[in-house]
Amino acid sequence: MLHAGPEIEVSTAPPPASAQRRCIASGEVGEVDGLIRFVVGPDAQIVPDVVGDLPGRGIWVTATREQVEYACRKKLFGRAAKARVETAPDLADRIEALLVRRCIDLIGLSRRGGAAVAGYDKVRSFVLGGEAGLLLAASDGANDGREKMRWIGEGLPVVDTLDRFELGRAFGREQAVHAAIAAGRLAKKVQAESARLANFRLKIAE
């Protein structure tokens, strides 16, 4: 249920991954991995900070389109900043694009480091060789393709948040349907950021 919290917490520096913050829209406290940080820009515009490294006092909102739109509609960003601020009418769309870009950048970083492959045969070899820590399947790929991924990578997490064109961008190609990332820190980060994007894209039933 949406409601303005009785107290709004802000921070002056990005917190560690295990920190918790209060959402200004719901009033609930949650892990920062499930929230989006905002700062006030020099032109009084509310700026989304999906990476969490922009300078300034942090304002936190649960990573859902519903909560962001509620915070804008109720002018909660100004209350949190204790100042007059402006929010872009397409703020939620901008956030989604930034979250997509974040996932693509992390997967691309893995690829450039030789820790990610795309294409069913390469993924299969990666898994059978014991290198894979995370499987990626295009959200608009065939259902039987995702089932094959789950079968060959039994026990491995499967992320299907990005569509084939978004996943393809991470590998410098037009599209990709199957991919895998080596076990390690980057695989965990991609999984966490993909979960945040999936939550933001989730449509709330009326």
Side-chain angles (χ1 to χ4, degrees):
M1 180 177 180
L2 295 174
H3 61 276
E7 179 182 359
I8 295 174
E9 298 178 359
V10 295
S11 63
T12 56
S18 59
Q20 293 185 326
R21 289 292 183 267
R22 186 183 300 277
C23 168
I24 65 169
S26 69
E28 297 178 356
V29 174
E31 299 289 337
V32 296
D33 282 350
L35 291 94
I36 296 170
R37 183 177 185 262
F38 298 83
V39 297
V40 180
D43 55 356
Q45 281 279 341
I46 290 296
V47 179
D49 178 24
V50 301
V51 177
D53 61 357
L54 292 179
R57 295 169 63 86
I59 300 170
W60 299 85
V61 179
T62 301
T64 68
R65 178 176 287 269
E66 182 186 34
Q67 299 283 29
V68 169
E69 290 177 346
Y70 179 81
C72 292
R73 190 167 63 250
K74 295 296 184 180
K75 303 186 184 303
L76 300 181
F77 286 106
R79 178 187 169 197
K82 297 183 175 144
R84 188 167 183 173
V85 299
E86 298 291 332
T87 55
D90 62 344
L91 181 61
D93 290 334
R94 293 186 185 185
I95 292 167
E96 182 173 340
L98 288 170
L99 292 174
V100 169
R101 180 77 259 173
R102 176 71 170 153
C103 291
I104 290 173
D105 286 348
L106 288 169
I107 297 169
L109 182 61
S110 299
R111 174 183 64 84
R112 291 189 294 276
V117 296
Y120 181 79
D121 290 337
K122 288 183 179 180
V123 169
R124 185 173 184 275
S125 297
F126 212 58
V127 171
L128 295 179
E131 298 178 77
L134 178 67
L135 301 181
L136 307 173
S139 59
D140 54 350
N143 288 332
D144 62 342
R146 284 197 292 273
E147 286 306 313
K148 282 182 182 178
M149 291 281 282
R150 290 188 173 92
W151 181 75
I152 65 169
E154 185 176 1
L156 292 175
V158 178
V159 167
D160 59 358
T161 307
L162 300 177
D163 65 31
R164 66 179 63 210
F165 299 104
E166 292 165 343
L167 191 55
R169 282 163 56 195
F171 288 90
R173 57 176 70 175
E174 183 178 353
Q175 56 183 287
V177 177
H178 305 110
I181 298 177
R185 181 183 61 83
L186 274 174
K188 292 178 181 177
K189 191 63 178 175
V190 170
Q191 187 175 5
E193 291 293 351
S194 295
R196 188 162 62 150
L197 172 59
N199 199 46
F200 197 84
R201 283 179 160 173
L202 184 65
K203 303 297 183 184
I204 306 298
E206 296 293 339

